[in-house]
Amino acid sequence: MRYILTITAVLLLFSACKKDKFTTVPQISFKSVDPNFYQQGLTPDASLPVITVNVTDAEGDLGFITGKDTSFIFFKNLRTNKLDSVELPNIKQAATKNFQGDVAVNMKQFLGVPNNSKKDTIFYEIYMKDFAKNKSNVIRTEKPVYYYP
């Protein structure tokens, strides 16, 4: 009986410490990079690397509303330290309270590798901002993009 009470107390403690999935500040997590390579001159645009992240936001204040607001997703190439961004499309109908969805970004403009470069491995830091300019957590791609000149 004593062990059952101890186990129950420990389980309650862990469940009470669990972070809420939907917060005012957007939360992102890495999902994938596919394909995970780019060969200059041989890779057609349709086969460029696409990084996908999962996004959650309590208010759903994300996307693009003409003449009103824009939210962005930011990519920092850790090889060059270049920071760039992409505005999210108009997702007004899907972006409701307790929003959860995936954002997939074609990495064509973020490869940032000089033409004379040798074979390289590129990682990115990623974060986003919502309409209220709340900055999400910063994540790093778990898998690299392999660049072949």
Side-chain angles (χ1 to χ4, degrees), residues 36-136:
N36 68 338
F37 66 90
Y38 173 75
Q39 187 161 5
Q40 186 174 343
L42 295 179
T43 304
D45 282 357
S47 300
L48 286 168
V50 173
I51 292 181
T52 305
V53 295
N54 183 265
V55 178
T56 61
D57 188 59
E59 293 79 21
D61 56 342
L62 302 167
F64 176 78
I65 301 174
T66 306
K68 287 193 174 190
D69 257 322
T70 306
S71 59
F72 292 88
I73 186 163
F74 296 86
F75 290 85
K76 181 179 180 183
N77 181 325
L78 294 178
R79 182 186 171 280
T80 63
N81 282 326
K82 182 181 178 192
L83 180 66
D84 213 336
S85 65
V86 174
E87 60 184 41
L88 295 176
N90 185 347
I91 56 173
K92 183 179 175 183
Q93 293 185 3
T96 59
K97 285 194 177 273
N98 294 337
F99 171 79
Q100 180 174 356
D102 291 340
V103 175
V105 178
N106 182 315
M107 299 308 294
K108 180 177 185 174
Q109 71 188 63
F110 303 119
L111 286 172
V113 180
N115 290 340
N116 60 357
S117 179
K118 296 179 181 179
K119 183 169 66 170
D120 210 343
T121 303
I122 307 169
F123 286 91
Y124 296 90
E125 280 186 350
I126 306 167
Y127 66 92
M128 68 181 313
K129 290 188 178 181
D130 61 12
F131 292 160
K133 307 303 180 227
N134 294 315
K135 181 180 175 182
S136 74

